[in-house]
Amino acid sequence: AAGAPLGVILAWVPKPNRNSSVVSPLPDGWLPCNGRRITQGPWVGGVTPDLNTAGRFLRGGTEDEALQMQEDQIKRHLHEDQGHSHGCSASSTASSHNHGCSASSKASSHIHTYQKTSETNAGGAGGVCGTDNGKCDDPDTFAYNTRNTGSSTVSVSTSCSTSSSTVPVSTTCKTSPKTSGIGNVSPAARSGAETRPLNMKVVFIMKCWEKSTRIGE
């Protein structure tokens, strides 16, 4: 990166693979982006941005936004609920009550008819004798008179009207449990404490001063 301006940040690895024992040092003028203090050049006394310790990604922005750190977040969004229903099995109980009754009775008057018998020729000997087959020496005759008894009340009809009554009923309903079916991440998926794409970790380095020039080089 010869001729690169100050502040250039590059991805760098110190060795070709993780098992290699050959480690290359950083070239002069470059420091790791881990908050390291700058000891030379026009930025002496400053520090490099800490990208490596926190495992931060680089993101484009304007000059005014350069070096601005942003925390992880989730974009605001909505989950649409399609709605569901609960089944209900209800039972009702009614409290006991009484109906009042005001009764009235009405009797109709009526009479009985009967016949009164009286002897018309009470004289003569012996007792009362009829004329049956000529066997009575002194036959008697009778008069029949139809008469009525006095008025009498016998038949009774009764009517009863109940008073208006309200029956209080209490109803209880128990809903059956329902679940939305939304669970955790499928066991087949890789999951953990962060959301990330496929990646490889590198060391970010930043050019902090120009390479020293020695006489004769």
Side-chain angles (χ1 to χ4, degrees):
L6 298 182
V8 168
I9 296 178
L10 296 178
W12 173 77
V13 292
K15 51 188 177 181
N17 58 72
R18 298 190 67 184
N19 297 324
S20 176
S21 59
V22 180
V23 178
S24 299
L26 277 173
D28 187 27
W30 294 82
L31 292 176
C33 294
N34 58 359
R36 183 76 58 87
R37 184 166 297 278
I38 302 172
T39 59
Q40 300 182 45
W43 292 347
V44 62
V47 294
T48 60
D50 190 358
L51 303 176
N52 300 325
T53 304
R56 292 180 180 270
F57 293 91
L58 292 177
R59 179 181 182 182
T62 64
E63 290 185 15
D64 293 336
E65 295 171 334
L67 298 175
Q68 182 186 71
M69 297 288 187
Q70 292 181 322
E71 300 304 316
D72 53 351
Q73 68 176 21
I74 298 176
K75 186 177 180 179
R76 286 189 297 269
H77 62 283
L78 296 176
H79 293 275
E80 184 177 354
D81 185 359
Q82 299 298 328
H84 63 281
S85 60
H86 293 272
C88 178
S89 58
S91 61
S92 300
T93 56
S95 58
S96 60
H97 64 284
N98 296 320
H99 292 278
C101 178
S102 58
S104 61
S105 300
K106 181 180 179 182
S108 59
S109 60
H110 64 284
I111 58 176
H112 291 274
T113 301
Y114 68 96
Q115 287 185 336
K116 181 180 180 182
T117 304
S118 60
E119 187 180 359
T120 58
N121 55 344
V128 175
C129 179
T131 59
D132 188 23
N133 296 322
K135 294 179 180 180
C136 183
D137 296 332
D138 184 17
D140 297 308
T141 60
F142 300 91
Y144 300 93
N145 297 313
T146 301
R147 296 190 178 186
N148 296 324
T149 64
S151 177
S152 176
T153 300
V154 176
S155 177
V156 176
S157 63
T158 301
S159 64
C160 181
S161 61
T162 61
S163 58
S164 176
S165 178
T166 301
V167 180
V169 177
S170 62
T171 301
T172 58
C173 181
K174 294 183 179 180
T175 60
S176 56
K178 295 289 183 180
T179 59
S180 62
I182 299 176
N184 206 338
V185 178
S186 171
R190 289 182 293 270
S191 61
E194 65 177 5
T195 301
R196 62 174 181 252
L198 293 173
N199 67 86
M200 183 190 78
K201 291 188 177 183
V202 297
V203 179
F204 285 118
I205 59 176
M206 185 173 75
K207 187 174 182 179
C208 298
W209 64 82
E210 295 293 343
K211 179 181 178 181
S212 299
T213 303
R214 295 188 180 92
I215 297 176
E217 289 185 357

